[in-house]
Amino acid sequence: MWMNSMKTPKSFIFRVLPVLNSKISLNFLIKLTNQKIIFPFYHAISDEDIIHIKHLYKVRTTAQFINDLDLLLKYYHPVNHEDLLNSIKQNKPLQGKCFLLSFDDGLREFHDIIAPVLIRKGIPAICFLNTAFIDNKALFYRYKASILIEEFERGNCSSAILNTIQQWFLNNRLSRGFDKNLLRVSYSQQGLLDKLAAIMGYDFPGYLKVNQPYLTSSQIEKLISQGFAFGAHSIDHPEYRFISEDEQIIQTRESIKDVCGKFGLSYRLFSFPFTDSGVKRIFFQKMFDPEQPVADITFGGAGLKKDFMTSHLQRIPFEGTPLSAEQILASEYVYYLLKAFAGRNRIKR
Ligand SMILES: [Zn+2]
């Protein structure tokens, strides 16, 4: 998953929430909605700017992350992927109020920063990997955009290069500012970012080598031995609604097969890159075909919502906002209630 900007009516709730928050307790909202299991998710946690993410969304600091965890532990108890798998298999709801954490994109920070905190607090988690990026073999195209924007903003381009870029934007019908042009480049157009990097004399393989943004296979093996679960997040992070149904199946099946085969996993977990919005019912029917299932559980990131299959679960983004975990959750519950009144808290496919 990658952050969707908050253009939904939820943004309104976020704005009015300081008022709501003082009056409505989280326990009351949990009781009212009867939504006792939640799936918060992040990408990275860092106290420093991460260049490849800096121009995409704001990550939480270690202190903010610890506050989030303390809040979660105050209201819910942590469960792991096995608890969830058993509950779905046996069609038995988990006891009490619980949360399962996950982290998308298989970033190095999961090993360096996140895992040590989670181990200290006894909290399990799932980390989702893009199989093309493990061991820093390649770079997500949105990260390339963020890196080039940073290069541009640091003034690392001569006026001759700037003129060439200007001309190149015109030739490619990119008519906005530098950052807006780059952030609009889609998965199918990602070659443009490599061409622009060549014009700017920028070296992505060099960035991968020096910065090591992704987890390595040996780090993943160590994390598995420490009890963390891993799943797939597609091969190279396309936005599913813009690729064919065949391509959706290939990206999902191959990445799950790779992660499970390479790391000897007996469970098959998958989280959607970007969003599962626009992904049709037939896709999920193929994923969970009783004769030949591709996945055991899949995850979206649409917030507190029900989906049409019990094996496809929606997670709550816990980053890209200055709000506290309590405010994020309260607003999700309030939004859930509002949608429930309109009969719209279940995703239709
Ligand atoms: Zn992602």
Side-chain angles (χ1 to χ4, degrees):
M1 181 63 53
W2 181 80
M3 293 300 297
N4 265 330
S5 59
M6 289 165 186
K7 288 175 193 152
T8 61
K10 241 182 258 175
S11 58
F12 172 73
I13 295 166
F14 286 143
R15 281 204 301 274
V16 299
L17 225 112
V19 184
L20 290 175
N21 230 4
S22 58
K23 300 196 173 124
I24 306 177
S25 88
L26 214 45
N27 271 332
F28 177 66
L29 287 169
I30 298 168
K31 215 172 168 181
L32 208 59
T33 54
N34 198 29
Q35 293 305 298
K36 292 183 195 148
I37 175 154
I38 56 162
F39 304 97
F41 81 100
Y42 302 82
H43 292 79
I45 302 296
S46 179
D47 294 331
E48 285 152 26
D49 278 344
I50 303 171
I51 302 300
H52 49 279
I53 296 180
K54 185 177 167 188
H55 299 281
L56 306 179
Y57 56 88
K58 196 140 185 60
V59 303
R60 303 282 245 205
T61 62
T62 315
Q64 286 173 319
F65 181 51
I66 290 170
N67 285 341
D68 291 352
L69 297 177
D70 289 341
L71 184 281
L72 287 168
L73 291 169
K74 184 174 157 192
Y75 289 96
Y76 309 85
H77 69 268
V79 291
N80 66 21
H81 66 289
E82 284 170 353
D83 301 323
L84 184 65
L85 277 164
N86 289 336
S87 130
I88 290 174
K89 254 185 226 157
Q90 294 160 11
N91 199 18
K92 253 203 214 149
L94 287 158
Q95 290 300 303
K97 293 174 279 188
C98 44
F99 72 97
L100 175 53
L101 279 190
S102 57
F103 297 83
D104 281 1
D105 292 14
L107 296 169
R108 175 168 59 87
E109 287 74 16
F110 185 75
H111 172 271
D112 295 354
I113 299 168
I114 297 161
V117 175
L118 295 180
I119 290 170
R120 246 188 354 256
K121 291 191 171 277
I123 300 174
I126 309 169
C127 180
F128 291 102
L129 309 164
N130 290 110
T131 49
F133 307 150
I134 299 169
D135 289 318
N136 295 289
K137 287 188 300 233
L139 195 55
F140 175 28
Y141 72 95
R142 297 281 296 176
Y143 291 169
K144 289 181 180 176
S146 181
I147 293 166
L148 293 183
I149 293 168
E150 182 69 11
E151 268 305 283
F152 181 79
E153 288 190 355
R154 283 184 187 176
N156 291 347
C157 302
S158 68
S159 57
I161 288 175
L162 288 176
N163 287 336
T164 313
I165 293 172
Q166 209 55 43
Q167 193 52 47
W168 186 80
F169 278 169
L170 286 173
N171 296 344
N172 287 281
R173 297 178 184 197
L174 295 163
S175 56
R176 299 181 179 206
F178 190 91
D179 55 342
K180 290 205 171 67
N181 279 340
L182 264 59
L183 293 174
R184 283 176 77 208
V185 171
S186 67
Y187 175 77
S188 64
Q189 300 170 313
Q190 60 182 297
L192 288 176
L193 295 168
D194 296 313
K195 285 184 189 153
L196 180 58
I199 292 171
M200 293 169 70
Y202 195 82
D203 174 30
F204 289 130
Y207 183 90
L208 279 164
K209 207 171 166 191
V210 171
N211 295 281
Q212 301 271 308
Y214 295 106
L215 293 169
T216 64
S217 296
S218 60
Q219 286 171 336
I220 295 168
E221 278 157 12
K222 179 180 134 197
L223 289 159
I224 290 171
S225 75
Q226 289 172 326
F228 292 105
F230 281 83
H233 190 51
S234 79
I235 300 170
D236 61 353
H237 216 294
E239 190 159 353
Y240 270 40
R241 61 183 154 174
F242 298 133
I243 59 174
S244 70
E245 279 171 39
D246 284 347
E247 188 62 18
Q248 290 175 352
I249 298 283
I250 292 168
Q251 284 273 347
T252 313
R253 191 183 51 215
E254 294 308 309
S255 61
I256 292 175
K257 216 160 82 184
D258 259 25
V259 168
C260 293
K262 194 169 164 59
F263 301 107
L265 307 179
S266 57
Y267 51 84
R268 294 162 297 186
L269 308 173
F270 178 81
S271 78
F272 279 85
F274 293 105
T275 170
D276 61 5
S277 169
V279 177
K280 301 217 172 85
R281 188 173 274 251
I282 180 79
F283 171 87
F284 293 97
Q285 284 162 342
K286 283 183 184 162
M287 285 302 104
F288 304 118
D289 177 358
E291 299 292 311
Q292 235 179 346
V294 176
D296 297 316
I297 308 177
T298 58
F299 296 87
L304 193 69
K305 262 182 192 161
K306 289 179 186 155
D307 217 298
F308 81 107
M309 284 187 122
T310 48
S311 302
H312 182 56
L313 301 162
Q314 292 297 343
R315 301 175 296 167
I316 302 172
F318 259 45
E319 61 195 355
T321 167
L323 297 177
S324 70
E326 189 163 26
Q327 288 172 317
I328 293 173
L329 287 173
S331 63
E332 288 286 338
Y333 282 115
V334 171
Y335 189 60
Y336 183 91
L337 280 173
L338 291 175
K339 292 200 82 154
F341 284 122
R344 291 181 58 204
N345 58 359
R346 186 181 291 275
I347 295 172
K348 292 195 174 75
R349 297 192 186 273

